[in-house]
Amino acid sequence: MTTTDTGEPALTIDELAARAGVTVRTVRFYSSRGLLPPPEIGPRRVGRYGRDHLARLALIEEMQHQGMTLAAIERHLRQLPPDLSPHDLAVHRAVVASWAPESVERLSRRELGRRAGRPLTDEDVDRLEAMNVLAPEDGVFRVDAGLFRLGVRLLDVPLSQETILAARTALIEHARAAARELSGLLRDAVAERDAEDVKSLSAHMHPLVVQALLTTFQRSLKEELREWVDSGAGRAQDAPPGNGDASSA
């Protein structure tokens, strides 16, 4: 794997397929249908793929997991803005994934690596187990299919396992509190309606509530990070000069 001038990872089609957990033939098929943007052409006419292609492959995979046909996926992707960033695509995939029923798979160690698109060390497996992504069971691994791809991506995040687990706990606690409060509001709003109306309203509101929560959280996180970066830059500007500046004064 190489990188572009901006530090963007530049993957060959084989590396892209391995990272996404699909075959090279699948990547070429999606490209021929216009589901993936064309790669950048590098030296020796070799196509180079980046985060955008990985994010789109993950979104396609999620929609297939939901039972969408290829024609439906094509229509869905055509409705998306063409300049969505990998981050925006990941958020969109999270909305799609919110409809997925809880699914558990049992995979061998070899199948874990194939599904991850890369070899997994014993330490990687231990970290995934600590994150409740998988658990050993009768010689195989019981895997939370919905969390596995996220868990694999977290293996490359330069944070300690303790920090990741603390973040997971905070997210679960606040998500449950928000769900509890929203459920109470909806229950009060439909208290006088019959069961069929309540069921219909719930099905209608579910995707809207999920989209609202994700969008609100995404924007709030951006604001928090921006304030954190700005305050850090301000402190750096107000800091006294270093030894080199003092000696030259």
Side-chain angles (χ1 to χ4, degrees):
M1 182 185 72
T2 59
T3 57
T4 63
D5 294 338
T6 60
E8 172 78 12
L11 308 172
T12 65
I13 191 169
D14 297 275
E15 292 169 334
L16 174 69
R19 287 282 190 93
V22 300
T23 65
V24 170
R25 183 178 179 181
T26 297
V27 174
R28 287 179 174 148
F29 174 72
Y30 289 156
S31 298
S32 70
R33 299 294 293 260
L35 301 180
L36 293 175
E40 292 186 10
I41 304 301
R44 294 178 293 188
R45 305 296 297 170
V46 175
R48 296 292 181 179
Y49 300 82
R51 292 191 181 95
D52 176 59
H53 298 90
L54 275 172
R56 285 184 179 272
L57 282 172
L59 177 56
I60 293 169
E61 180 187 19
E62 191 61 58
M63 289 189 286
Q64 285 184 324
H65 183 67
Q66 295 297 323
M68 293 178 64
T69 64
L70 183 61
I73 292 173
E74 289 176 340
R75 288 195 299 270
H76 188 87
L77 292 180
R78 280 198 298 267
Q79 294 173 358
L80 298 180
D83 57 347
L84 283 181
S85 69
H87 175 78
D88 293 329
L89 287 167
V91 172
H92 190 80
R93 176 176 173 264
V95 175
V96 174
S98 70
W99 286 100
E102 293 186 9
S103 59
V104 174
E105 299 180 64
R106 286 166 177 80
L107 304 176
S108 67
R109 178 64 179 268
R110 181 186 296 273
E111 289 170 329
L112 279 181
R114 181 181 60 80
R115 186 68 60 86
R118 65 188 237 189
L120 294 176
T121 65
D122 290 342
E123 182 182 356
D124 291 337
V125 173
D126 289 342
R127 292 190 67 186
L128 291 172
E129 184 177 350
M131 289 186 281
N132 291 327
V133 173
L134 54 80
E137 182 180 277
D138 299 329
V140 295
F141 292 91
R142 188 173 183 272
V143 179
D144 185 324
L147 288 178
F148 185 70
R149 183 178 294 276
L150 173 61
V152 171
R153 292 180 63 187
L154 285 174
L155 294 175
D156 297 325
V157 175
L159 293 173
S160 69
Q161 184 168 308
E162 291 74 15
T163 300
I164 292 175
L165 293 178
R168 177 180 181 274
T169 299
L171 283 172
I172 291 174
E173 289 179 352
H174 289 288
R176 285 178 177 169
R180 191 178 302 114
E181 186 170 351
L182 287 171
S183 296
L185 291 173
L186 291 176
R187 280 197 301 269
D188 293 342
V190 300
E192 303 301 324
R193 303 191 184 188
D194 60 39
E196 284 302 316
D197 286 343
V198 172
K199 187 175 181 180
S200 175
L201 180 62
S202 175
H204 182 72
M205 290 297 296
H206 184 193
L208 300 179
V209 171
V210 170
Q211 178 69 71
L213 284 172
L214 284 169
T215 302
T216 302
F217 180 77
Q218 180 187 15
R219 291 175 179 173
S220 298
L221 186 59
K222 283 183 178 179
E223 291 173 3
E224 289 291 328
L225 291 174
R226 187 182 300 115
E227 291 177 5
W228 174 49
V229 171
D230 290 346
S231 63
R235 286 196 299 270
Q237 292 175 355
D238 295 338
N243 292 335
D245 293 331
S247 62
S248 61

